[in-house]
Every structure is written in C-alpha cells, then in structure tokens.
Amino acid sequence: MRYLPYRIDPRLAWALDELQGTKAGDNLLQRLESLASIAQPRPEGPALDVALGAHRAVIGIAASGIRLTQAGYLPPAMVRAIAPHLPTMDDWIFPIEREVHAQPVQRFREHHIEVGLLRKASGSLMITAAGRRALGDSTVLWGHIAARLVPSRRKFDAVAMAIILLHVATAPSRQPHVYTIAESMTALGWRQSTGGPILARDVQWPWNNAWGALGCVGTPVGTRALSRIVGQDAVLLIRDALLVKD
C-alpha cells in the first residue's frame, strides 16, 4: 500500500489490520487508495449550503423545539414540513402523515440525533449547542457530520458502516456490495446469534441508516428502493469522514 497522508477512521483501520493479507483486506486497501485519490475539494459557499440544504432545513425547523407525539414521533404537521426538503422523499408514493409511515423522514431525524445536532428532551426534539453553531455555518456543519458519520464505538453497526461507506464512495455503481461486506464482517469474527455467518440482510440495516443520511446530501442519482445511488457531494463527505488530512 502506498503512503497516504491521512488519518484513517479507527473502525476502518482496525478492519484493515485484522484482514491484512486476505482477499477481503486487499479489496479494502484498493478501495481506500481509490478514495484517497479523489482530489476534488468539498463544495464551498452557496454550493455547500445547497449540498447540506436538507440538514440545514431540519435543524432550522427544530431550532425552536418540536413537541413530539406521546409515542416519541414527529407530529404529522412537522413530517409534512420536513418532507419537501429531503431528496429521499422525492419518489415517495405513500401519504405523508405519520412519521412511522414516512421512513425517510424518520431516518433523517434519527441521523440528526445520532450525530449530535438534535436531541430528545422532555418529550420534545431540541437543537443542541453543536446544532446551533452549525446552523449558521455550513463549513462547521460539514465538519461536524463528517466527524460523526461513523459511530465511535467498535461494534458491528459501526464497523459495517465504515466498510459500507468505503464501498459506496468507490464502487462504480455507488452502491455497496452487501454480500462482499457480509463476508468481510464474518472474517472479522462476527456471527449471527445461531453461530452462522453474517448474511447480506444483516448488512442491509446499517446501509439503510447510511442512506437515510447520505441520500440527503446534495443531489442523489437515484432514490428508489432498488436504485439508491448517492451524489458526488455525498462521496466527498464520505471521503472526509473516513480520511482526515494530516
């Protein structure tokens, strides 16, 4: 592997170390070098505002606080207010009412909580201090999301997320090969509760979560269930999440 002037995401670095000398490890190394070769800078100025438009809209709507339903979901009025800002809702053919029936809205809201831009408190959805700082500065928002896109813990979902992101950013189709990723997760020592190998369906859940965030960065190429393809801005965000310049 050639020298890369980057700090690699710790979850990905661990997977590379564990899989060193294996076919799966070689595949990850090749993808990592491909990711590092992307020289295009992240968007700036108005282009950056547009790329993060969905994030900025949701944070702005929640800035004054949103009273959640008794079950902990967004009320229908807020679901309808947020949905038009989400590219992942462009092809949505179902009624936009309850959040539990509008999964792209729900996943995107949960993503904001996971990366620390919003939080639940006393039955309401509130903006965090980090969210308020990021709301007024898209450069800060980009850096905040990139630093937290992969969960910090070294558990199944976090490691799978790092490998999924690497696949998405480097595959010609911009889609993860869930069967290959499942094989990698099995090689890393994970198993199903029955003791069997990790299957493609086990990888699908973290991919769903990743898509919920990345499908709302810039303009995705495809948003339908079987053709979820991220846009170039999302690829650049993945690069900045997995590789930090020394």
Side-chain angles (χ1 to χ4, degrees), residues 18 29 62 92 113 120 183 194 205 218 227:
E18 291 292 310
L29 280 174
W92 195 252
I113 295 174
K120 281 185 176 182
E183 291 173 358
T194 60
W205 287 109
S227 59

Side-chain angles (χ1 to χ4, degrees), residues 6 10 21 34 40 57 83 86-87 108 123 130 132 135 137 147 150 186-187 195 204-205 220:
Y6 296 96
S34 176
Q40 180 183 350
L86 274 54
F108 199 52
R132 200 166 294 280
L135 181 59
D137 190 329
V150 181
T186 299
Q204 193 64 46
W205 287 109

Side-chain angles (χ1 to χ4, degrees), residues 56-213:
R56 296 174 69 244
V58 170
I59 298 170
I61 290 171
S64 300
I66 298 173
R67 188 68 182 174
L68 299 173
T69 67
Q70 195 168 20
Y73 294 106
L74 290 170
M78 289 296 100
V79 175
R80 290 191 294 270
I82 289 172
H85 298 283
L86 274 54
T88 50
M89 288 293 291
D90 285 351
D91 292 320
W92 195 252
I93 62 174
F94 305 104
I96 302 174
E97 292 291 339
R98 299 175 61 192
E99 187 189 23
V100 71
H101 295 150
Q103 289 90 347
V105 174
Q106 182 179 353
R107 287 197 186 112
F108 199 52
R109 187 257 301 171
E110 291 171 345
H111 156 69
H112 279 71
I113 295 174
E114 289 164 1
V115 299
L117 294 168
L118 301 176
R119 64 186 177 91
K120 281 185 176 182
S122 303
S124 294
L125 187 66
M126 311 289 292
I127 191 172
T128 64
R132 200 166 294 280
R133 288 192 297 271
L135 181 59
D137 190 329
S138 292
T139 300
V140 172
L141 179 56
W142 181 281
H144 183 95
I145 298 169
R148 294 161 180 80
L149 191 58
V150 181
S152 60
R153 56 197 180 276
R154 200 180 74 192
K155 294 186 177 181
F156 178 89
D157 283 356
V159 176
M161 175 75 81
I163 296 176
I164 286 168
L165 295 181
L166 183 60
H167 270 245
V168 168
T170 57
S173 66
R174 290 187 182 172
Q175 292 179 304
H177 195 283
V178 291
Y179 294 96
T180 301
I181 297 171
E183 291 173 358
S184 296
M185 298 303 291
T186 299
L188 286 168
W190 272 285
R191 295 290 185 275
Q192 293 190 10
S193 58
T194 60
I198 298 300
L199 302 176
R201 66 173 184 242
D202 301 314
V203 176
Q204 193 64 46
W205 287 109
W207 165 227
N208 288 343
N209 291 334
W211 169 253

